[in-house]
Amino acid sequence: MRPLVAGNWKMNGLTAQLAEAMMLADGLAAGTPPVCDVMLCPPFPLISALVHVVKGRSILVGAQDCHAKASGAQTGDVSAEMLADIGASAVIVGHSERRADHGERDSDVKAKAEAALRAGLTAIVCIGETAGQRAAGLTLEVTGRQLAGSLPKGATAANTVIAYEPVWAIGTGLTASTADVAEVHAFLRRRLSELSPGNSDKLRILYGGSVKPANAKELMAVPHVNGALVGGASLKAADFLGILLGYRI
Ligand code: PEP
């Protein structure tokens, strides 16, 4: 299975940030191509420009959220169809920041993921436990419930990616130990075989949470880790290229 390393720029980046995407594209072209898919997910206003900037280069473009409906009276929202129309090929749904800041529940995330599939986009479905849930020994229960509740109907390896992102590891500099990552990813793989028989072996499960050049190689080598979702370290081409180094052979 070809891994995916996706950068989530979150609410960062004015048009000048596109220079980092160009440096990333140049850096990728300069050496042996990485044996993984590479994606950047900028804020909505930069998507069109980024699609233009990386045209013909080996970088995919995704968004960070979408509405479940195709169109309508939803002021301020953006539909999956609109994202596909401007050249995005994927959308992150259910990021923990959206679950926390916008009260998104598993059912909302599932509806958004299904909207992504309807529009021909790849849905990157995020799940992950909080520090309190981990301390209470609830990690597998919580992530298993989120996976079952958020997985879109019709999920296949071609249209859906799971991102396991422990909430306490996002943007904190803390990373889960390789043993903890191995336990959760193996568990998610087993749950996928129940929830999506036939696709379970091929669906990519990314790890996210303070992935950096210094820890990427170790984390990406954990069984059932099929790439990474990267926040802070995706904003600088040099850092992102450092993470991708592990996939250059
Ligand atoms: C994220 O935003 O999905 C993320 C993992 O952020 P960071 O890499 O900064 O922890």
Side-chain angles (χ1 to χ4, degrees):
M1 152 188 345
R2 191 173 163 85
L4 166 67
V5 179
N8 172 15
W9 283 358
K10 311 195 186 194
M11 197 174 71
N12 294 296
L14 304 177
T15 46
Q17 175 69 17
L18 295 170
E20 294 292 332
M22 278 187 254
M23 282 189 263
L24 176 66
D26 291 344
L28 289 172
T32 44
V35 286
C36 66
D37 291 334
V38 179
M39 183 185 292
L40 288 175
C41 302
F44 289 135
L46 292 184
I47 291 177
S48 259
L50 183 63
V51 166
H52 183 70
V53 161
V54 301
K55 199 175 168 119
R57 319 293 299 261
S58 43
I59 297 176
L60 301 164
V61 179
Q64 302 170 18
D65 182 43
C66 67
H67 195 276
K69 288 176 69 175
S71 63
Q74 268 75 34
T75 302
D77 281 315
V78 171
S79 74
E81 280 75 3
M82 292 169 178
L83 298 171
D85 184 50
I86 57 169
S89 61
V91 59
I92 298 169
V93 291
H95 190 282
S96 66
E97 287 153 12
R98 293 214 56 92
R99 288 178 186 260
D101 298 347
H102 300 269
E104 292 187 9
R105 301 154 300 173
D106 289 334
S107 55
D108 301 313
V109 177
K110 180 178 163 127
K112 289 178 178 215
E114 287 173 354
L117 271 46
R118 181 187 68 217
L121 301 176
T122 298
I124 302 176
V125 180
C126 299
I127 58 176
E129 83 286 1
T130 62
Q133 289 164 335
R134 174 161 283 272
L138 296 172
T139 299
L140 301 188
E141 188 182 320
V142 168
T143 53
R145 190 175 58 235
Q146 289 178 332
L147 182 68
S150 309
L151 196 70
K153 195 160 172 261
T156 68
N159 64 24
T160 304
V161 173
I162 307 301
Y164 167 58
E165 300 203 297
V167 178
W168 50 271
I170 296 179
T172 58
L174 301 171
T175 42
S177 70
T178 50
D180 288 343
V181 174
E183 182 193 26
V184 178
H185 278 243
F187 165 73
L188 295 174
R189 181 68 68 207
R190 286 196 303 278
R191 282 298 281 130
L192 278 171
S193 69
E194 293 154 11
L195 296 166
S196 183
N199 290 302
S200 58
D201 298 349
K202 301 173 209 96
L203 247 125
R204 290 178 286 191
I205 309 175
L206 313 185
Y207 169 77
S210 299
V211 176
K212 300 178 183 59
N215 60 22
K217 201 167 179 180
E218 183 183 41
L219 287 163
M220 297 307 105
V222 173
H224 302 297
V225 172
N226 313 120
L229 184 53
V230 183
S234 70
L235 288 166
K236 288 272 169 238
D239 292 339
F240 206 40
L241 284 166
I243 289 169
L244 291 164
L245 214 55
Y247 285 119
R248 294 185 111 149
I249 47 173

